[in-house]
């Protein structure tokens, strides 16, 4: 279930209440006239089944409530109510299959911001991965994958392509390009420093590395794994199963490939630099392609279910 907190201008409150009452899957409606002070208006509260949430939020935005008032949405972790149970039964489809497009766009936009924190995490992850590739240490590689924040902009790019949002697409693309460019440039300097400190050496980089040689040797499996990870990551975002994102993060070799390319570049090893760059690009392409196709499939399937299933509008208000 979702909890909606709405600030409505007094002249729109009746329309908003009627909309909520006729929307299947809503319950626990509360209206507090004159409770809002900034902006001035009424406070309307209600709960809605997740599978009916996107339809209701879209209708509220059509009223212009996001401009004249406010629409706040929260997840309800626990609701002990027979009315809530009945509302979920009435709503068409399953909550786990529903996509809240407004929430997805907002979340991916936040994760796709080119901030100091984002660049810092990506740089630190790349430096950790650099230690992993030189030492041929799989544990460090896995740790670097988990630290890397690059899935946010990748998901943002997929969302932007589906929603036809060029501004979000540009923001996500800039976060990816600038983030990896800065991370790899800093890692080149880090590699030089570690070489001077006699902690890295070209011999280590070019020796047999059974645990990490895959990062500069892309093959068909690289693309297959990236596609599967992209599907899993997108589903985890749209179904609010955020715990699955950790598994997605350690399934793809974006950060390790960037790290290996940076270390190889610092030693002038063009062969490993090219191979690692190809691995990086292959993974990025696979994730974006899979994420975009997954979102398109979810959008189509939900539209089909909505058209064939139960309506979103009650015949008689409660």
């Amino acid at each position: 279930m979702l909890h909606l907190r709405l600030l409505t201008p007094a002249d729109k409150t009746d329309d908003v209440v009627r909309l909520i009452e006729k929307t299947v899957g809503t319950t626990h409606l509360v209206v507090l006239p004159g409770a809002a002070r900034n902006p001035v208006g009424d406070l309307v509260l209600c709960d809605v089944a997740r599978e009916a949430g996107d339809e209701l939020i879209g209708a509220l935005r059509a009223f212009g409530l996001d401009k004249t008032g406010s629409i706040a949405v929260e997840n309800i972790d626990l609701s002990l109510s027979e009315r809530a149970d009945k509302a979920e039964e009435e709503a068409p489809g399953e909550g786990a299959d529903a996509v809240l497009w407004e929430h997805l766009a907002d979340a991916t936009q936040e994760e796709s911001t080119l901030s100091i924190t984002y660049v810092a995490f990506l740089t630190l992850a790349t430096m950790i991965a650099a230690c992993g590739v030189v030492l041929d240490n799989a544990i460090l590689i896995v740790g670097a994958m988990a630290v890397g924040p690059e899935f946010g902009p990748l998901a943002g790019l997929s969302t932007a392509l589906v929603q036809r949002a060029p501004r979000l697409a540009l923001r996500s693309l800039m976060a990816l390009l600038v983030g990896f460019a800065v991370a790899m440039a800093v890692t080149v300097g880090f590699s030089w420093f570690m070489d001077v400190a006699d902690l890295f050496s070209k011999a280590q980089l070019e020796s047999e590395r059974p645990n990490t040689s895959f990062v500069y040797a892309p093959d068909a499996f690289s693309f297959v794994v990236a596609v599967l990870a992209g599907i899993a990551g997108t589903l985890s975002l749209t179904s609010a199963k955020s715990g699955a994102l950790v598994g997605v993060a350690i399934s793809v070799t974006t950060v390790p490939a960037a790290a290996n390319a940076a270390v190889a570049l610092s030693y002038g090893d063009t062969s490993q630099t090219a191979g690692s760059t190809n691995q990086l690009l292959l993974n990025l392409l696979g994730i974006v392609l899979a994420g975009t196709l997954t979102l398109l499939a979810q959008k189509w399937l939900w539209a089909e279910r909505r058209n064939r299933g139960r309506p979103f509008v009650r015949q008689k208000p409660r």
Side-chain angles (χ1 to χ4, degrees), residues 155-166:
L157 186 55
S158 296
T159 303
L161 292 174
V162 173
Q163 294 289 84
R164 298 179 182 179

Side-chain angles (χ1 to χ4, degrees), residues 24-298:
V24 171
T26 58
T27 187
H28 302 156
L29 175 62
V30 177
V31 181
L32 300 175
R37 292 292 180 267
N38 184 20
V40 175
D42 303 329
L43 175 63
V44 179
L45 308 172
C46 73
D47 294 341
V48 59
R50 181 181 173 86
E51 50 268 43
D54 192 65
E55 190 83 9
L56 178 58
I57 293 170
L60 291 170
R61 292 197 67 184
F63 280 157
L65 202 59
D66 54 328
K67 297 180 176 64
T68 60
S70 171
I71 304 172
V73 183
E74 302 173 345
N75 280 307
I76 300 177
D77 295 327
L78 177 63
S79 179
L80 303 178
S81 166
E82 290 186 2
R83 286 182 176 270
D85 294 340
K86 186 176 181 180
E88 288 187 318
E89 291 175 2
E90 290 178 346
E94 296 294 333
D97 297 332
V99 179
L100 297 176
W101 291 101
E102 296 296 337
H103 177 269
L104 180 63
D106 184 69
T108 52
Q109 179 171 328
E110 182 179 348
E111 293 294 327
S112 302
T113 302
L114 185 60
S115 63
I116 294 176
T117 301
Y118 165 79
V119 174
F121 269 113
L122 188 56
T123 301
L124 290 170
T126 307
M127 293 166 68
I128 293 172
C131 295
V133 297
V134 172
L135 298 175
D136 194 34
N137 190 313
I139 295 177
L140 292 176
I141 294 295
V142 172
M145 290 176 175
V147 172
E150 73 279 6
F151 189 80
L154 292 170
L157 186 55
S158 296
T159 303
L161 292 174
V162 173
Q163 294 289 84
R164 298 179 182 179
R167 185 172 298 180
L168 177 58
L170 181 60
R171 179 196 293 260
S172 302
L173 194 59
M174 287 296 294
L176 284 171
L177 295 178
V178 176
F180 272 109
V182 171
M184 292 174 71
V186 172
T187 303
V188 169
F190 174 70
S191 180
W192 285 338
F193 170 79
M194 295 292 279
D195 183 75
V196 171
D198 202 27
L199 295 174
F200 281 9
S201 70
K202 188 174 183 179
Q204 287 176 295
L205 179 70
E206 296 183 345
S207 64
E208 290 188 12
R209 291 187 283 142
N211 293 321
T212 58
S213 59
F214 65 92
V215 299
Y216 60 87
D219 55 20
F221 282 104
S222 301
F223 186 74
V224 170
V225 171
V227 168
L228 295 176
I231 295 172
T234 302
L235 289 175
S236 71
L237 286 177
T238 57
S239 63
K241 303 292 185 182
S242 57
L245 280 178
V246 177
V248 172
I250 60 177
S251 299
V252 291
T253 55
T254 48
V255 167
N260 198 87
V263 176
L265 183 62
S266 71
Y267 285 115
D269 189 333
T270 56
S271 176
Q272 284 200 36
T273 300
S276 300
T277 302
N278 289 337
Q279 179 78 276
L280 173 62
L281 296 175
L282 197 63
N283 276 267
L284 294 177
L285 175 63
I287 293 172
V288 171
L289 178 62
T292 303
L293 293 178
T294 300
L295 289 175
L296 286 172
Q298 287 181 291

